[in-house]
Amino acid sequence: MSPDTTRVLGQIERGEIWCGPDAARALAARAEEQYGGAWPRPTADPAPPAPDGPE
């Protein structure tokens, strides 16, 4: 194991770094609150698919 890996794993074990899915969700929620959505949400249902052509 590299020295950097050992250092980072130690930081995670000691609670100095918060990582994983829960941390990602919390950071995303905070960014959403501060800056709004990264991807605009559609305001209406998308148009139905075009027909395949004559049958």
Side-chain angles (χ1 to χ4, degrees), residues 3-43:
D4 286 336
T5 302
T6 304
R7 177 181 52 81
V8 170
L9 290 175
Q11 289 174 323
I12 292 169
E13 288 174 4
R14 292 188 300 272
E16 296 170 5
I17 297 174
W18 188 28
C19 61
D22 291 337
R25 282 190 280 277
L27 290 172
R30 185 169 57 188
E32 176 88 15
E33 184 178 302
Q34 287 181 330
Y35 307 113
W39 296 275
R41 293 188 174 101
T43 56

